[in-house]
Amino acid sequence: MNEAEAIRLFKCLSDKSRIQILKSLAIEDMYVERLSERLGLSAPTISFHLKKLSDAGAVTSYKSQYYMMYSLNQNIFKISILDILKEQSDEADLQQQRDIEYRQKVIDTFFEYGKLKSIPAQQKKKRIVLEVIAQAFEYDRIYSEREVNILIANFHDDFCTIRRDMVGEKILNRDTRGYWRIK
């Protein structure tokens, strides 16, 4: 189910009468007049709601003798909301572009001529700053604490805080051998 179909279905389900129609159809297939009697709504009102439900894919119809019968499309309700949310958004490219622009804005705000002006207080911004500093470190190389301090000092004087934050954010790892950049 794509994003547009999910939105159409959720909008359709936001009406009490439509929910009552679906509950009735979950019991058995019915025609308009039977639903009208059961729910105490006029036949034109039931037809209106059935059209909306049909457009959203929640119900299907078939001809049986003189009547148009409606049935619940059970397959559409077997899809979990989590599956719908995991589908790629129609706006994924736009969201990614916004993320890139936000990241660049943070970098432009906190760096001047390659030097860190101040350490951000906000965690998300601090993470971006630390990732920029981490680019000075090579993967698959172990650095001594002195080498780490020198590399970080090229960006900011408070290398102890930044080193600790980089380890805390799992950008760098350390043991008795030294420090290394995590992939």
Side-chain angles (χ1 to χ4, degrees):
M1 175 179 296
N2 67 34
E3 198 170 84
E5 292 168 338
I7 290 169
R8 194 174 320 115
L9 179 63
F10 290 146
K11 283 183 178 180
C12 186
L13 295 176
S14 67
D15 184 274
K16 183 180 179 182
S17 297
R18 291 183 200 137
I19 294 291
Q20 293 306 315
I21 290 170
L22 291 173
K23 285 182 175 190
S24 295
L25 293 177
I27 297 168
E28 65 178 304
D29 295 357
M30 295 185 189
Y31 52 94
V32 172
E33 290 76 14
R34 173 94 160 75
L35 283 165
S36 175
E37 292 169 13
R38 188 164 207 269
L39 301 176
L41 298 170
S42 69
T45 300
I46 295 291
S47 293
F48 170 80
H49 289 304
L50 283 170
K51 171 81 170 104
K52 294 281 189 186
L53 289 165
S54 180
D55 290 345
V59 299
T60 58
S61 60
Y62 62 93
K63 192 106 169 140
S64 175
Q65 294 179 352
Y66 304 108
Y67 299 104
M68 183 63 77
M69 299 293 289
Y70 291 90
S71 62
L72 183 67
N73 180 1
Q74 294 188 12
N75 290 335
I76 203 163
F77 295 105
K78 290 179 181 174
I79 299 170
S80 79
I81 292 176
L82 192 56
D83 291 337
I84 294 169
L85 296 175
K86 287 181 179 178
E87 282 287 320
Q88 183 168 350
S89 173
D90 296 341
E91 295 184 0
D93 293 337
L94 179 60
Q95 291 170 355
Q96 184 178 13
Q97 182 60 36
R98 288 178 184 150
D99 286 343
I100 291 168
E101 289 170 3
Y102 175 77
R103 183 178 174 81
Q104 190 58 50
K105 181 180 171 185
V106 169
I107 292 168
D108 292 344
T109 301
F110 287 95
F111 286 92
E112 188 173 77
Y113 305 113
K115 289 284 222 178
L116 182 62
K117 294 189 275 187
S118 64
I119 300 172
Q122 189 179 39
Q123 190 63 35
K124 183 177 180 179
K125 292 177 181 177
K126 185 188 292 185
R127 175 74 191 198
I128 292 169
V129 165
L130 295 175
E131 287 171 353
V132 170
I133 295 171
Q135 292 172 1
F137 294 86
E138 298 174 23
Y139 289 112
D140 301 323
R141 179 174 169 208
I142 297 178
Y143 294 87
S144 67
E145 186 169 319
R146 185 174 186 280
E147 290 174 312
V148 171
N149 292 345
I150 290 169
L151 282 171
I152 294 173
N154 290 331
F155 294 94
H156 196 272
D157 293 337
D158 190 359
F159 52 82
C160 291
T161 300
I162 293 174
R163 184 185 67 233
R164 184 182 63 239
D165 288 346
M166 290 178 85
V167 170
E169 285 289 321
K170 303 204 182 320
I171 294 171
L172 290 181
N173 204 348
R174 70 174 175 204
D175 65 12
T176 55
R177 297 173 293 155
Y179 294 81
W180 63 91
R181 186 171 174 192
I182 299 174
K183 292 183 182 180

